[in-house]
Amino acid sequence: MTERLVQQKPQRKKSLMRCVVYRATSVTSPLLLCIMISLTLLLFRCLSIAFCVTDKYVLDDKVGLGRVFDGIGGLSGGGATSRLLVNYAEPYRSQILDYLFKPNFGASLHILKVEIGGDAQTTDGTEPSHMHYENDENFFRGYEWWLMKEAKKRNPNITLIGLPWAFPGWVGHGKNWPYDYPDITATYVVSWIIGAKQYHNLDINYVGIWNERNFDSKYIKLLRYTLDKSGLQSVRIIASDNLWEPISLFMLLDQELRRSVDVIGVHYPGTTTVLEALKTQKKLWSSEDYSTFNDEVGGGCWARILNQNYVNGLMTATISWNLVASYYADLPFGRDGLMTAQEPWSGSYVVESPIWISAHTTQFTQPGWTYLQTVGHLANGGSYVALTNGKGDLTIVIETMTHDHSVCIRPPLLPFNVKSQNATFQLKGSFASIAQLQVWRSRFNFKTQKPTFFEKLSPLKLSDHSFTLNLEEDEVYTLTSLTNGQKGSFPDPPPSAPFPKTYKDDFNVANPPFTEAPDFADQTGVFEYYINLTDPGPHVFTLRQVVTQMPVTWTTDADQTISVIGNYKWENLTVSCDVFMETVKTGGVFIAARVDQGGQSVRSAKGLFYWVFSDGSYKVTNDLAGQTVLAEGLSGTRAFGWHTLTLTIKGQYATGLLNGYTLWKNAVVLGPKNGWAAIGTKSFELAQFDNFAVTAE
């Protein structure tokens, strides 16, 4: 039977006495006169807003309950969106994590979803796989393990989800497709889940298929079989992290597929669902949503969809892409996170409005609570939801976000109107005994540009099992029987500062806490700390590019590998690095400046690229693809020997040194005028880098 959401038709009551009730006993004449004047002014105000029309909404659990609430969450990955977070010094890193995960403090998230790294570009960078090669396993690469443990440390009950965006090339046997050998793909994904438990004591609760790409029914069934065979019956499957269709229809037509999938996860649903999804009787989630610049309009977007994903679409979980904007701001979708932490070098971070909008729901509910059937839209725009723990507690979340102040990045938002209104809520059923509710309010105040978020107001006493609110535009209210809740805070973090103009890294870290060097943001390929045991000299500890085959990609990776670093506004600078090629005759490496593209556009990156090759030649190009050549010639460089490259760029001219001697000079730079510094390789090949340094003007 198809489920239907019960939305109440508000009962409109045109009564001045419903607006304000006054009681007068014996008073002196002057006082009585003051009261009469006040009443007259109030009466005039009521008349000016259509006689203080009040719309009535009944909240009742005796008419039946709605769906079980599964939580609000954030997504780290898709990709490399938490890259800079790990480089923050204490106490700032722990403060950021507290704002995200600590219960009754900040966003207090119920869900953490992470990318299962696949060595490929997945929006803002690459995340390393736990298996670069078929005979390779390392469950300490990257930072998602660390992030999950930090989240779990703060909230032991947090739900953990893993989802692949890409796969190492060996999984596809050289083809850009993970389903030709579904048993290999399933074993690869399940090994990540097993490793999470074995090496980090992390229980993964849900796993996805292939982010926003085609699903394969045979693979999903085989994944379920492989999980069960591995003793992971408790791990549930989400499909297909894309659109409602065709997965919903396929599940209706295939009973085994329907048994294999526990949650239909959709991305950016615009708060709506489809009939076929409802017919499956499965959990419905917005398994990726938001993706919006985190200013106040972004906070308004988040407020609207957190309520209306259930009111309109019966989705019981909403997950933000991304968790925290902790990647270089000039990469794609800068600041599209619940908060911003993109300056580990300064320690500065910003607690943005979506953190406190999350708190309106997360601090006063938990997964396992149940929505009431009596939820819906307000008569003059906005929405309300109500949830209960089944023990008499009640949490109500109301939002009155206007259209222009709640636009998300996608999908397009159809016009609608929201006006100031009075709303009376009557509690029935097991809630009739509630005498008082705690009140938390956020006001965006777009006109004054002086917002107030997650402000605790005086408790509201109920009269005749009901209460009335005057709701203005662009507000969020939480009314709850729970007495917990806190707007957590720390002393202000350090002020924002640009990336340092002088930067050096010799990579001499014997036991690095993470596999990637601080501040480098891999855009194609993976650059990891490496111990070069064959070198008795000064290059024992290096940074090594380790991906040797084009992955099964999610977007269009470059044919070269590249990792960027620094300040995108850099114009005039000197970059130097020791390089070591490990591929005879066909190998090549580069250092670069003014690199202008990363993320999904990395393939078209321009800048100034200084290459040396293992065949004894060099080249200077205006692009990563190496098509626009500014200079070229012989260098004498060979594989398995260290060489020092130095690139200086000033204005329109650039000069290159090899081992301290000028190799080329006064190359005319065609553009761009600014960008990051970078290192990389000619192809997917092994190569090492050491003693990286930048000096910028």
Side-chain angles (χ1 to χ4, degrees):
M1 184 175 72
T2 302
E3 183 173 5
R4 184 173 63 86
L5 178 64
V6 178
Q7 290 195 23
Q8 301 185 86
K9 184 175 181 181
Q11 300 172 20
R12 200 168 278 262
K13 214 169 161 109
K14 297 186 177 180
S15 168
L16 291 179
M17 294 303 292
R18 221 41 188 136
C19 273
V20 187
V21 177
Y22 294 96
R23 241 173 240 267
T25 53
S26 349
V27 289
T28 59
S29 293
L31 181 56
L32 181 59
L33 179 61
C34 287
I35 292 174
M36 291 176 65
I37 292 171
S38 298
L39 284 172
T40 302
L41 291 172
L42 284 168
L43 179 61
F44 177 78
R45 183 170 179 265
C46 282
L47 289 170
S48 70
I49 56 172
F51 301 102
C52 275
V53 171
T54 296
D55 299 298
K56 187 174 180 180
Y57 309 88
V58 176
L59 301 178
D60 187 357
D61 57 349
K62 296 306 181 186
V63 298
L65 297 174
R67 292 193 166 207
V68 174
F69 175 64
D70 294 306
I72 307 300
L75 200 169
S76 173
T81 54
S82 304
R83 175 66 194 90
L84 298 177
L85 174 61
V86 298
N87 304 141
Y88 270 80
E90 295 295 349
Y92 309 116
R93 189 172 71 178
S94 289
Q95 291 173 4
I96 295 164
L97 293 166
D98 283 352
Y99 278 120
L100 293 168
F101 300 117
K102 186 177 179 180
N104 297 317
F105 188 84
S108 306
L109 295 174
H110 305 132
I111 300 169
L112 173 59
K113 181 177 180 179
V114 303
E115 175 179 350
I116 300 175
D119 292 340
Q121 171 63 244
T122 54
T123 301
D124 288 297
T126 66
E127 298 206 20
S129 169
H130 63 289
M131 296 179 71
H132 293 319
Y133 327 110
E134 192 168 3
N135 60 350
D136 163 60
E137 277 193 352
N138 184 332
F139 294 96
F140 294 91
R141 292 189 181 118
Y143 37 85
E144 304 296 4
W145 311 108
W146 165 83
L147 184 61
M148 287 189 284
K149 286 190 289 187
E150 291 294 327
K152 201 81 172 176
K153 184 191 302 180
R154 287 162 174 80
N155 178 5
N157 297 318
I158 197 165
T159 298
L160 299 177
I161 305 172
L163 173 65
W165 267 249
F167 303 86
W170 64 267
V171 171
H173 279 239
K175 292 178 64 177
N176 200 38
W177 189 248
Y179 299 137
D180 281 350
Y181 303 90
D183 54 332
I184 292 176
T185 306
T187 301
Y188 166 79
V189 171
V190 170
S191 72
W192 182 87
I193 298 171
I194 293 171
K197 181 63 174 179
Q198 183 175 346
Y199 293 94
H200 302 285
N201 197 30
L202 293 168
D203 293 302
I204 304 301
N205 304 105
Y206 293 88
V207 66
I209 307 305
W210 188 15
N211 182 72
E212 294 177 355
R213 295 297 179 261
N214 292 337
F215 67 88
D216 181 270
S217 296
K218 178 182 177 182
Y219 168 71
I220 294 174
K221 298 171 192 175
L222 186 58
L223 178 61
R224 179 72 270 162
Y225 170 79
T226 308
L227 287 166
D228 293 346
K229 187 179 68 172
S230 304
L232 297 169
Q233 293 88 347
S234 63
V235 179
R236 304 303 182 189
I237 292 177
I238 304 172
S240 65
D241 280 292
N242 201 345
L243 305 175
W244 289 118
E245 299 292 10
I247 184 65
S248 299
L249 182 59
F250 274 51
M251 288 172 64
L252 290 175
L253 297 175
D254 186 334
Q255 187 175 357
E256 185 182 354
L257 178 64
R258 189 162 67 250
R259 284 198 303 265
S260 299
V261 174
D262 299 276
V263 176
I264 300 180
V266 67
H267 289 192
Y268 308 98
T271 76
T272 62
T273 187
V274 298
L275 182 60
E276 287 76 13
L278 293 170
K279 285 181 177 178
T280 66
Q281 298 184 0
K282 294 290 184 177
K283 290 178 178 289
L284 309 180
W285 288 7
S286 180
S287 53
E288 182 179 320
D289 217 326
Y290 182 62
S291 186
T292 299
F293 191 78
N294 60 20
D295 60 4
E296 270 66 29
V297 173
C301 154
W302 189 232
R304 178 175 56 80
I305 65 178
L306 284 183
N307 264 23
Q308 296 195 28
N309 273 348
Y310 187 77
V311 170
N312 300 336
L314 289 171
M315 287 167 271
T316 55
T318 299
I319 301 172
S320 166
W321 188 90
N322 50 68
L323 171 72
V324 52
S326 201
Y327 45 98
Y328 287 116
D330 293 287
L331 287 169
F333 306 103
R335 275 186 58 185
D336 281 16
L338 297 178
M339 64 181 292
T340 304
Q342 56 195 20
E343 291 187 12
W345 48 87
S346 72
S348 180
Y349 63 85
V350 183
V351 183
E352 312 282 4
S353 62
I355 290 290
W356 303 120
I357 296 305
S358 302
H360 273 281
T361 299
T362 56
Q363 290 202 19
F364 310 107
T365 61
Q366 288 297 324
W369 281 47
T370 307
Y371 284 98
L372 303 190
Q373 283 197 27
T374 48
V375 302
H377 290 278
L378 299 170
N380 286 301
S383 65
Y384 66 99
V385 295
L387 302 96
T388 181
N389 60 1
K391 301 175 183 177
D393 285 310
L394 175 69
T395 291
I396 308 159
V397 185
I398 303 166
E399 59 82 22
T400 58
M401 298 309 305
T402 56
H403 179 279
D404 292 351
H405 295 153
S406 66
V407 176
C408 303
I409 194 171
R410 64 180 77 86
L413 184 60
L414 296 176
F416 63 86
N417 294 313
V418 176
K419 295 185 293 185
S420 298
Q421 56 197 299
N422 293 308
T424 296
F425 291 84
Q426 184 172 17
L427 308 190
K428 291 187 175 182
S430 62
F431 312 125
S433 60
I434 295 175
Q436 178 176 281
L437 292 170
Q438 306 299 312
V439 184
W440 296 79
R441 182 182 66 191
S442 291
R443 282 182 162 171
F444 283 83
N445 289 328
F446 284 98
K447 290 181 180 178
T448 63
Q449 295 187 346
K450 294 181 179 179
T452 57
F453 292 114
F454 204 56
E455 178 185 14
K456 193 175 193 309
L457 305 182
S458 299
L460 188 153
K461 296 186 185 304
L462 275 64
S463 175
D464 194 22
H465 312 301
S466 66
F467 62 91
T468 299
L469 292 177
N470 174 242
L471 301 172
E472 302 292 338
E473 298 174 3
D474 299 322
E475 292 185 332
V476 180
Y477 275 88
T478 298
L479 301 104
T480 179
S481 59
L482 300 181
T483 56
N484 59 285
Q486 178 190 3
K487 186 172 184 179
S489 65
F490 292 107
D492 290 342
S496 175
F499 195 93
K501 291 182 178 180
T502 300
Y503 184 91
K504 294 181 179 180
D505 196 338
D506 60 12
F507 311 117
N508 289 346
V509 185
N511 295 295
F514 298 98
T515 54
E516 296 161 296
D519 305 323
F520 280 91
D522 303 346
Q523 299 301 306
T524 297
V526 173
F527 295 73
E528 296 179 347
Y529 281 116
Y530 180 65
I531 301 177
N532 187 353
L533 296 176
T534 63
D535 192 322
H539 299 291
V540 174
F541 299 102
T542 66
L543 193 69
R544 193 189 201 199
Q545 200 295 119
V546 296
V547 179
T548 57
Q549 181 180 7
M550 175 71 82
V552 177
T553 61
W554 182 75
T555 185
T556 307
D557 287 39
D559 294 320
Q560 306 76 23
T561 73
I562 178 172
S563 187
V564 302
I565 189 171
N567 188 340
Y568 190 79
K569 295 180 180 178
W570 279 343
E571 297 180 11
N572 301 322
L573 66 156
T574 296
V575 183
S576 66
C577 191
D578 298 340
V579 298
F580 184 89
M581 293 172 279
E582 300 184 51
T583 303
V584 177
K585 293 185 179 180
T586 60
V589 295
F590 69 81
I591 62 173
R594 294 187 185 176
V595 178
D596 71 340
Q597 297 286 343
Q600 294 165 282
S601 303
V602 65
R603 194 176 179 86
S604 59
K606 290 182 170 50
L608 192 73
F609 296 82
Y610 172 19
W611 309 76
V612 294
F613 305 102
S614 59
D615 65 358
S617 66
Y618 79 90
K619 187 163 64 173
V620 183
T621 69
N622 197 205
D623 57 341
L624 176 62
Q627 299 300 306
T628 305
V629 179
L630 305 179
E632 59 185 332
L634 296 178
S635 62
T637 49
R638 294 288 184 267
F640 298 102
W642 283 97
H643 307 281
T644 301
L645 305 184
T646 305
L647 167 65
T648 299
I649 183 169
K650 188 165 186 176
Q652 292 184 314
Y653 299 97
T655 299
L657 277 62
L658 174 63
N659 300 326
Y661 296 93
T662 301
L663 182 63
W664 53 273
K665 63 181 180 178
N666 296 329
V668 178
V669 181
L670 304 177
K673 293 183 178 180
N674 58 276
W676 298 291
I679 57 175
T681 65
K682 173 188 172 184
S683 63
F684 288 94
E685 60 186 277
L686 298 174
Q688 296 177 55
F689 302 84
D690 201 3
N691 298 317
F692 176 85
V694 176
T695 302
E697 293 184 6

